[in-house]
Amino acid sequence: MTDFINIHRMSFEDREIILVGTAHVSKESAETVDTIIEAEMPDTVCLELCATRYRSLLENRQWRGKALLRTIGSKDSPLLLSSAVLVYFQRRVGARLGVMPGDEMRHAISAAERVGANIELIDRDVRTTLRRAWTLMNVRMRIKLLFELFQSVGEIDEIGEKDIENMKKKDVLEGLLAELGDSFPPLKQVLIEERDLYLTAKIRKAAGRKIIAVVGAAHIPGILKNWDKPIDIEPLESVPA
């Protein structure tokens, strides 16, 4: 275990599970994921991605201003705006740290292909997650959330060298979300706690005798906590009215 990555060896039924917690903006996390997959030769590599994010990652797509503007006025525009701000924050921080956000997932995909492992996407669809979070917040909380997100982005240029060194030792985006979760309980519930349950259930259902699951470090405590509990993910896939 290092400051960048933590590994837990677990079992479920007759399968060996290797849980790998990474920082989403960390060069060492990406390199370590490579090493673990090649050394362990798993049957399956589980990734904390949904199909939408997986395609975006492979195509290296970025948010485009015109596409976002076309959504203004639609019911999903606040969701897309919030997500765009988070993506922009992650990219700006990644540029300061000298690493592309999502590199640990790209490395995991490449390593899985090299060793002939299956790839399973285990995260809930990002659109469902955003809609659930938005629905559970009242108007005042929504406005406050957007304000704090933009404020966080605006403070990136004020980050000094000491701050950058500290940021290299943790998952910056997950840290931001954790801080926001303290002010916005519905956000923490949907982005962290619900996904802890979802990821746990999906990992336990993954195919193969040896499975490596690559997830953000912030989800490790929740997965460990829920590992032996029965989980019904169906209610987590709906959007409250």
Side-chain angles (χ1 to χ4, degrees), residues 79-80 83 125-135 191:
L79 307 178
L80 292 170
S83 184
D125 188 281
V126 63
R127 293 164 297 187
T128 300
T129 295
L130 290 171
R131 286 178 182 134
R132 285 181 66 86
W134 198 253
T135 300
L191 293 181

Side-chain angles (χ1 to χ4, degrees), residues 159-188:
I159 296 173
E161 292 301 319
K162 184 176 180 180
D163 296 316
I164 289 175
E165 290 306 310
N166 289 331
M167 291 169 79
K168 289 180 180 178
K169 299 179 182 179
K170 61 183 180 180
D171 189 321
V172 183
L173 181 62
E174 297 288 4
L176 171 63
L177 293 177
E179 290 179 13
L180 290 174
D182 292 335
S183 302
F184 306 93
L187 197 63
K188 182 177 182 181

Side-chain angles (χ1 to χ4, degrees), residues 13 29 44 68 78 93 97 104 132 139 218:
E13 296 176 346
S29 275
T44 298
L68 183 60
V93 170
L97 300 181
E104 86 287 7
R132 285 181 66 86
V139 174

Side-chain angles (χ1 to χ4, degrees), residues 165-216:
E165 290 306 310
N166 289 331
M167 291 169 79
K168 289 180 180 178
K169 299 179 182 179
K170 61 183 180 180
D171 189 321
V172 183
L173 181 62
E174 297 288 4
L176 171 63
L177 293 177
E179 290 179 13
L180 290 174
D182 292 335
S183 302
F184 306 93
L187 197 63
K188 182 177 182 181
Q189 174 189 332
V190 175
L191 293 181
I192 303 296
E193 295 170 3
E194 288 186 0
R195 288 172 61 227
D196 288 346
L197 292 169
Y198 196 92
L199 294 169
T200 301
K202 288 291 188 176
I203 293 169
R204 296 191 312 204
K205 292 181 179 179
R209 296 296 297 274
K210 179 184 279 190
I211 298 155
I212 290 181
V214 182
V215 302

Side-chain angles (χ1 to χ4, degrees), residues 27 69 78 151-152 157:
K27 183 177 180 180
L69 286 173
Q151 187 177 43
S152 297
D157 291 332

Side-chain angles (χ1 to χ4, degrees), residues 24-25 62-63 80-102 146-159 163 167 170-180:
H24 290 314
V25 184
Q62 300 186 28
W63 287 94
L80 292 170
L81 182 59
S82 300
S83 184
V85 172
L86 285 173
V87 170
Y88 181 68
F89 174 88
Q90 198 171 9
R91 288 184 179 278
R92 287 283 299 279
V93 170
R96 297 296 301 274
L97 300 181
V99 60
M100 280 292 292
L146 290 171
F147 174 79
E148 293 200 13
L149 285 174
F150 279 109
Q151 187 177 43
S152 297
V153 170
E155 293 172 352
I156 293 176
D157 291 332
E158 300 174 9
I159 296 173
D163 296 316
M167 291 169 79
K170 61 183 180 180
D171 189 321
V172 183
L173 181 62
E174 297 288 4
L176 171 63
L177 293 177
E179 290 179 13
L180 290 174

